[in-house]
Amino acid sequence: MTSPLLEIRDCDAFYGDSHILHSISLEITAGSGVALLGRNGAGKSTLLKSIMAAGPTVRGDIRLNGDAIMRLPAHRRAAAGLSLVPEDRRIFPHISVAENLLMGRRATRNGDTPLTLSQVTELFPMLADLLDRRGDQLSGGQQQILAVARGLVSKPQLLLLDEPAEGLAPIIVQDLAEQIAGIRERAGTSLLLAEQNVSFARHCTEQVFVIDTGRIVFSGGWEAFDADAERIERFLAV
Ligand SMILES: Nc1ncnc2c1ncn2[C@@H]1O[C@H](COP(=O)(O)OP(=O)(O)OP(=O)(O)O)[C@@H](O)[C@H]1O
Ligand SMILES: [Mg+2]
């Protein structure tokens, strides 16, 4: 049997003395789109950062394509095929959109070539007219598209997206969902999407994990999610 793309076995995560994630185990198969739902403070960002080695102290086993990556620092996990788009987006304000995109090349896997600017604008046509614009001259929605696009420049196997829809107007959220669903199809990237917006997440993924106070309390497809909606709702209600 081939290994899953990502496999997390019995992981715990800590910020200092605070024990945030408890015995997390999950698998993501290559090519799939997976939503990670949970209310504020549930541990979504902590899990994405644990996968990327981007903050918390982590114990347990994380494997990418069957290879243990626990000892690798973030830049080597990026080179191994992971890309994290953090919740604060980190668009550089004083450089152009094109230069922001080129920053994403640093994370390219050994021996692989990053996407060119024209390949990026093929995936995200709305960026084509914005390439010379400075980062701080973009709207919130444009910044989010840029952050997602930059995360894809290194051609990751697995894109970790942290609440891309947060703070965006509903019409822009709809557009973003279509763009993300579209690039999954065209770029063939697997996706782990942390979200609180259930309908947005549903549009972009097939599988769901629900996390509550650092524990996985549901995993399955959207049909199983709907069948279990009454129980799940209390983990998502604010
Ligand atoms: N740098 C940190 N130091 C200490 N505790 C932290 C830190 N970052 C997050 N926490 C705590 O870890 C827990 C999980 O936070 P996390 O950011 O993973 O939640 P989240 O599900 O991403 O929430 P949100 O939807 O608000 O982004 C919370 O109790 C939070 O207060
Ligand atoms: Mg978060």
Side-chain angles (χ1 to χ4, degrees), residues 84-103:
L84 170 65
V85 180
E87 55 195 333
D88 61 8
R89 295 170 192 164
R90 301 201 197 150
I91 298 304
F92 298 102
H94 302 305
I95 60 174
S96 69
V97 166
E99 287 163 327
N100 267 280
L101 286 169
L102 293 174
M103 292 281 181

Side-chain angles (χ1 to χ4, degrees), residues 38-41 196 233-238:
R39 62 164 74 96
N40 287 123
Q196 297 198 53
E233 211 149 90
R234 66 193 162 98
F235 299 120
L236 302 179
V238 265

